[in-house]
Amino acid sequence: MRGLARLALAALLAGAGAGPVVANTIYVVSQEGGSLTPVAPPGAAIAVGKGPAQVAAGPDGRLYLTHSDTHSVSVVDGRTGAVLARFPFAGQPFGVAVAPDGRSLFVGDWAGGRVVRLSTATGAVEGHVGVGRDPAALALDGRGRLYVADRESRQVSVVDTATMTRISTVPVGEGPFALALNPAQDLLYVACVRSGDLHAIDTATLKPAGRAILGGMPYGVAVSGDGARILVTNQQGGTLVVLDAALKPVATIPVGRYPEGVAVAGDRAYVANWFSDSVSVIDLTTLAETARLPVGEGPRGLAVLMREAP
């Protein structure tokens, strides 16, 4: 283990702008290398400072990275690669999500057991709410509900972002770490790294909706664009496990060593391999790895940035 750095998760948040979309860019954040790199299409690595942990994409082409060790959040222009700002954070920032309008940023405070809402324009604190212990991944839906994986509380907290109040908690397995909503946003998937299982939560009732026992260490989770495939990285096995909508495993795909984050764009999935310093590219039609791309040291989180026509 490399301390808290090893606890980083792949976070995926894709924002869509108002103009016609012409392409996606897939970014990977390398925690040990202090870099953010576009891998599809490929581009030069961007130096972002020490220890970036998670990354989220906003609807305006900006990327937001949390730096747990330096207690800060950096803002990167995904179109030019320029580091635009670095916001100080009074706590240990980890999970991150961007509001659909791009005006607010939600940051989990790993050490403080809370989520803080920041202005994306200035970094000013707009509100905060207490959640469970060691909040990891954040996922935000279109209704303004924020879901928080409370790793040491064996639960998912549900926050109303309009009032910044916690409205519910949903029990899950041990060590919930990764979250992903399906395209319809009626199901939330929770990967639990210690109990080796994947949980589904009905977002309308906030009740359990299914469970798959996977074994190993489920660490990252994503959902295909049609909702038919759930993709879970298994750190211990060095694999990507693919399940159908009924949570039945349909494939186990070897990837690099110690895979963490996973993201989906179109008919491809991308897996950050922490120990291999690489990103695996998975064809979701054939369910096979088609490439393994070298990146900076310690890749963890992935984000999909939607590009617009000029």
Side-chain angles (χ1 to χ4, degrees):
M1 301 291 285
R2 302 190 190 185
L4 180 59
R6 181 171 293 283
L7 299 177
L9 151 78
L12 167 64
L13 280 171
V21 175
V22 295
N24 295 327
T25 302
I26 316 303
Y27 287 88
V28 62
V29 62
S30 295
Q31 190 162 23
E32 297 299 312
S35 63
L36 177 72
T37 305
V39 293
I46 303 162
V48 293
K50 181 180 178 182
Q54 289 201 27
V55 57
D60 56 358
R62 296 186 176 191
L63 296 153
Y64 300 88
L65 293 80
T66 54
H67 301 257
S68 299
D69 294 340
T70 59
H71 309 285
S72 63
V73 177
S74 58
V75 185
V76 176
D77 187 324
R79 296 176 173 86
T80 67
V83 179
L84 302 176
R86 194 176 303 276
F87 301 143
F89 186 85
Q92 194 169 22
F94 193 67
V96 59
V98 189
D101 62 8
R103 296 181 180 179
S104 295
L105 188 68
F106 301 92
V107 181
D109 181 356
W110 181 273
R114 61 180 185 148
V115 172
V116 181
R117 185 174 67 200
L118 305 176
S119 163
T120 56
T122 65
V125 174
E126 298 177 333
H128 60 87
V129 58
V131 291
R133 293 174 55 205
D134 294 358
L138 309 182
L140 183 63
D141 70 15
R143 296 174 296 178
R145 282 185 174 180
L146 183 72
Y147 304 91
V148 184
D150 296 329
R151 194 181 73 104
E152 294 303 315
S153 296
R154 300 187 65 175
Q155 67 186 22
V156 171
S157 287
V158 185
V159 172
D160 179 346
T161 59
T163 60
M164 288 302 287
T165 56
R166 184 165 64 171
I167 60 174
S168 185
T169 59
V170 185
V172 289
E174 187 176 351
F177 202 80
L179 302 175
L181 287 159
N182 69 345
Q185 299 192 347
D186 57 358
L187 289 171
L188 177 75
Y189 297 101
V190 187
C192 297
V193 68
R194 288 186 184 150
S195 52
D197 52 8
L198 179 76
H199 293 250
I201 295 172
D202 184 318
T203 61
T205 63
L206 298 179
K207 300 294 184 182
R211 174 178 178 240
I213 301 173
L214 303 177
M217 297 169 63
Y219 211 71
V221 61
V223 185
S224 62
D226 60 3
R229 295 284 186 262
I230 301 95
L231 314 175
V232 184
T233 57
N234 178 356
Q235 286 181 325
Q236 189 176 64
T239 58
L240 179 69
V241 180
V242 182
L243 302 96
D244 63 18
L247 298 186
K248 301 298 183 183
V250 296
T252 299
I253 306 167
V255 291
R257 295 175 57 212
Y258 214 85
E260 298 206 351
V262 55
V264 172
D267 60 357
R268 297 288 185 271
Y270 300 84
V271 177
N273 301 311
W274 166 241
F275 275 0
S276 297
D277 297 337
S278 65
V279 171
S280 291
V281 183
I282 308 298
D283 185 321
L284 294 180
T285 302
T286 63
L287 298 180
E289 183 186 51
T290 60
R292 194 172 295 181
L293 310 173
V295 295
E297 185 181 0
R300 343 291 311 264
L302 295 153
V304 182
L305 184 66
M306 306 286 287
R307 297 278 187 168
E308 296 176 4

